[in-house]
Amino acid sequence: MTIQFKALPTQEVRALQFGGPDAYGHTPERKISDGGGIPCRHCLKNIAAGDVYLVLAYRPFPDLQPYAETGPIFLHAEECERAAETEQLPEVFESPDYIVRGYDGDNRIVYGSGGVIVTSAITARAETLLERDDIAYVHVRSARNNCYQCRIERA
């Protein structure tokens, strides 16, 4: 099976970069990167030291519902190019492990699908999950803070 890692959609990101409200209706906070592992969820690269970035609440689900987790993410404050949709593990994945979890077509967690996965095994785990008929897509989240990283879908 071929999969694709998917960054945040450019239209959503541009709205936030131009001062649009986050998931809580707030203007994103602006910070200066110290270069210490601040991953942009649009280009899927770390934000370089000295660059301005945004901190905001993000909900990667279309509707409010009990499983629609909202949490903090980072974005470049200036326009950046969206990461290509590819089966290659994004370069921003530098932690030793991540949470990988499946969701169904109604955007609900598929119980038993989630786990903390060694970074080098994320692609294989996502492929296994996406072979299941009850899983529509997969999220990759921080294993330490549960922050949303990206989505994985069937190609």
Side-chain angles (χ1 to χ4, degrees):
M1 166 179 295
T2 303
I3 62 168
Q4 291 181 332
F5 288 87
K6 294 188 160 227
L8 296 186
T10 299
Q11 183 176 352
E12 289 180 33
V13 171
R14 293 294 181 259
L16 293 160
Q17 288 169 327
F18 291 114
D22 69 6
Y24 294 145
H26 299 129
T27 300
E29 297 177 5
R30 296 175 70 84
K31 304 285 184 184
I32 305 290
S33 174
D34 63 4
I38 301 171
C40 176
R41 281 23 177 239
H42 183 249
C43 65
L44 299 181
K45 296 179 182 176
N46 280 319
I47 299 167
D51 285 356
V52 179
Y53 68 97
L54 305 175
V55 181
L56 59 116
Y58 186 73
R59 187 186 72 237
F61 300 94
D63 302 303
L64 286 175
Q65 40 94 354
Y67 295 92
E69 299 163 288
T70 302
I73 65 164
F74 308 123
L75 294 171
H76 279 101
E78 301 299 322
E79 293 183 18
C80 60
E81 187 174 331
R82 184 176 189 239
E85 295 179 0
T86 176
E87 64 185 73
Q88 301 301 314
L89 192 69
E91 70 179 64
V92 75
F93 288 179
E94 296 177 338
S95 290
D97 49 24
Y98 289 86
I99 295 169
V100 177
R101 182 168 51 223
Y103 292 81
D104 66 19
D106 291 326
N107 302 300
R108 274 39 177 193
I109 293 170
V110 176
Y111 284 97
S113 69
V116 176
I117 306 299
V118 174
T119 302
S120 62
I122 290 173
T123 299
R125 179 64 181 154
E127 288 171 343
T128 298
L129 289 173
L130 289 168
E131 287 174 354
R132 295 174 47 172
D133 292 336
D134 60 336
I135 294 180
Y137 61 90
V138 171
H139 278 183
V140 180
R141 293 174 170 268
S142 162
R144 308 301 177 279
N145 300 305
N146 196 36
C147 298
Y148 177 82
Q149 302 295 314
C150 73
R151 181 171 163 144
I152 304 173
E153 296 179 4
R154 295 170 186 90

